[in-house]
Amino acid sequence: MLIYGAMPDFRCLKEKGRIFLDHNATTPLAQCVMDKLLEWAKVWGNPSSIHQTGRAPKALLREARNAVGDFIGSHPLEVAFTSGGSESNNWALKGGYWTQKAKDPRRQEVIVSAVEHPSVMKAAKFLEDQGAKIIKVPVSREGVMDLDFYESALNEKTALVSIMYANNETGHIFPIPSMVKKAHEVGALFHCDGVQALGKVTVNVQSWGVDMASFSAHKCYSLKGCGVLYIRKGLVVESLIHGGGQERRRRAGTENTLGIASFGEVAKNYKDQVSSFYEKVLALRKRLEEGLKEFVDGVEIIGENQKRVPNTVGVILPSGVYGESVLMNLDIEGFSVSTGSACSSGSSEPSATLTAMGFSRQEAERSLRISLGWGSTEEDIQEFIIALAKIIRRLKSL
Ligand SMILES: Cc1ncc(COP(=O)(O)O)c(C=O)c1O
């Protein structure tokens, strides 16, 4: 059964009997999307068709492109729709690198931060296997990017820089505009993974100054399988997906009209709500952090005093408990959170982001990420703190 989130100015779905505190993984659908899904589904034509049936979906795309462009601070034609954040990141890295190298074969270096999402890290590894040199800018345990290292890494061989706006595990925000200026001084392209920024802070790709930026619809109360690569006017980036002439010949494939329409709808309704989200969620986060410090002995809030998006708290739990055991216990009690670790084929590795930041394997195994959203309430926070403190006491006593 579904009920609405508590904040009346932007309603979203909420599962009854569960407290969802994992909004950096995905977000519930906005009510304004739910209301229109059936209407959009009826517009089933191919937007590339020039006959009547293609006109309505084409109009949907146009409207969504205008709204999303407005939301991210770009011209609509600078918006290229993709299948999500991962595709946008892959396109930016591979396309950006190939484009630069074609212009000047000496440009073979790619700079990323040590804490990027796997869709950036693995795309960079792919380029490394093709002969690129990958340079990773360190980030401290406090969540601070080593800007001296960054500046000394930049040179006339740098093809591309890719740095995220906000980290998905810790919420730390990096100083994109000043980093962009430095990259442009040496003629490098700058891509920013803005997936965890959209909807949480005001996004304006023009004031960031970036050449490309990635966004994902499902991190922002819209449908899954839809994303955006912002490509600055005048920049021609090599395509990743070849075929038809969609997205102004930049990205082939019949468009995900439903996903795109949902992203547009949220963009339209949400654009003026971001600062209100920021304030409400920041107040909740403060309550959460105070509660954690008061009721969970030995908890560490990662980079607490650094600039962060308002909804994210990365913590290292006290010694003697595993993040994953805590997560499972919380799950049984009706709370959804996440650990930093990625589980694949039965083996669970500690978070690459946290170990890159200098946390030991043991510390990283005790990590937990709590990410709030538009539907989060004071009661959610109170209940969560009580449950977490109880679970930790129980696990420690075993
Ligand atoms: C920072 C960041 N970039 C990219 C992605 C990938 O986005 P998508 O799930 O739309 O592929 C994620 C998803 O967790 C993310 O947090």
Side-chain angles (χ1 to χ4, degrees):
M1 166 137 176
L2 300 164
I3 56 170
Y4 298 127
M7 295 180 183
D9 36 0
F10 188 84
R11 293 186 307 159
C12 57
L13 299 181
K14 192 161 175 154
E15 280 174 290
K16 197 165 184 210
R18 258 203 105 70
I19 294 182
F20 186 78
L21 298 171
D22 197 14
H23 291 82
N24 285 10
T26 196
T27 50
L29 277 189
Q31 186 58 35
C32 59
V33 170
M34 285 297 292
D35 290 343
K36 290 206 167 169
L37 275 179
L38 204 57
E39 189 186 308
W40 294 327
K42 286 179 188 158
V43 184
W44 49 266
N46 187 329
S48 299
S49 302
I50 47 175
H51 50 62
Q52 173 85 36
T53 321
R55 263 174 238 146
K58 201 184 184 102
L60 264 189
L61 290 188
R62 196 181 318 114
E63 206 184 308
R65 198 182 304 280
N66 288 341
V68 172
D70 203 29
F71 196 26
I72 65 170
S74 80
H75 189 278
L77 296 182
E78 294 173 312
V79 169
F81 287 113
T82 65
S83 65
S86 298
E87 185 190 322
S88 299
N89 283 343
N90 269 269
W91 184 8
L93 264 91
K94 295 172 190 173
Y97 176 75
W98 293 329
T99 300
Q100 286 283 79
K101 217 179 131 205
K103 274 199 227 142
D104 180 353
R106 287 167 308 165
R107 289 201 185 264
Q108 299 220 11
E109 296 185 2
V110 175
I111 300 179
V112 296
S113 85
V115 298
E116 294 299 314
H117 186 264
S119 53
V120 166
M121 285 306 198
K122 292 197 178 160
K125 173 76 178 74
F126 172 87
L127 293 176
E128 188 173 46
D129 294 343
Q130 290 202 339
K133 181 178 170 194
I134 309 298
I135 300 160
K136 293 183 188 160
V137 185
V139 173
S140 76
R141 196 181 157 104
E142 284 302 306
V144 179
M145 179 99 45
D146 186 339
L147 294 177
D148 290 337
F149 180 101
Y150 171 64
E151 284 178 33
S152 59
L154 285 167
N155 66 81
E156 70 289 347
K157 285 187 277 177
T158 312
L160 173 79
V161 177
S162 179
I163 306 281
M164 65 201 336
Y165 190 90
N167 184 266
N168 43 308
E169 289 183 38
T170 63
H172 288 116
I173 293 178
F174 301 120
I176 297 304
S178 59
M179 294 181 86
V180 172
K181 276 200 194 100
K182 296 284 172 195
H184 286 169
E185 277 166 23
V186 298
L189 287 178
F190 198 106
H191 162 253
C192 178
D193 176 352
V195 166
Q196 293 292 348
L198 196 64
K200 297 171 187 156
V201 295
T202 302
V203 165
N204 189 307
V205 287
Q206 279 193 9
S207 66
W208 291 359
V210 293
D211 300 294
M212 292 177 280
S214 304
F215 301 101
S216 172
H218 77 98
K219 307 283 184 185
C220 204
Y221 305 89
S222 316
L223 291 173
K224 289 167 184 61
C226 173
V228 158
L229 184 65
Y230 157 78
I231 305 172
R232 165 182 60 73
K233 185 169 180 250
L235 176 65
V236 179
V237 188
E238 183 63 59
S239 293
L240 193 61
I241 301 183
H242 299 95
Q246 290 90 351
E247 297 303 302
R248 296 172 76 80
R249 306 190 180 283
R250 295 173 295 190
R251 194 264 187 190
T254 303
E255 299 87 344
N256 169 4
T257 36
L258 237 74
I260 293 171
S262 77
F263 204 6
E265 192 65 24
V266 167
K268 200 166 68 188
N269 284 279
Y270 201 34
K271 185 174 177 281
D272 298 326
Q273 305 275 358
V274 176
S275 51
S276 142
F277 172 88
Y278 188 97
E279 278 164 33
K280 285 177 182 169
V281 174
L282 186 62
L284 289 180
R285 193 188 78 190
K286 283 187 181 151
R287 295 292 293 258
L288 171 62
E289 292 180 346
E290 281 159 15
L292 287 172
K293 285 188 277 187
E294 190 175 342
F295 295 104
V296 184
D297 263 356
V299 74
E300 175 182 344
I301 294 167
I302 300 168
E304 184 180 0
N305 299 320
Q306 300 306 321
K307 210 169 161 197
R308 285 176 290 153
V309 281
N311 78 318
T312 310
V313 188
V315 299
I316 306 291
L317 296 168
S319 52
V321 292
Y322 275 101
E324 244 165 58
S325 321
V326 173
L327 180 147
M328 285 173 204
N329 277 274
L330 280 166
D331 188 28
I332 291 166
E333 303 220 2
F335 299 88
S336 304
V337 294
S338 94
T339 58
S341 63
C343 296
S344 58
S345 35
S347 76
S348 119
E349 280 300 308
S351 149
T353 292
L354 297 185
T355 48
M357 288 168 72
F359 289 95
S360 66
R361 188 187 172 98
Q362 287 78 6
E363 285 174 313
E365 282 171 348
R366 301 203 308 269
S367 69
L368 209 61
R369 177 185 73 184
I370 306 139
S371 47
L372 312 177
W374 198 245
S376 303
T377 63
E378 288 245 7
E379 297 79 56
D380 291 353
I381 304 297
Q382 275 166 19
E383 287 181 36
F384 174 74
I385 294 165
I386 294 168
L388 181 67
K390 191 182 75 184
I391 288 165
I392 289 179
R393 266 200 312 277
R394 190 169 67 218
L395 289 175
K396 283 185 106 171
S397 70
L398 291 177

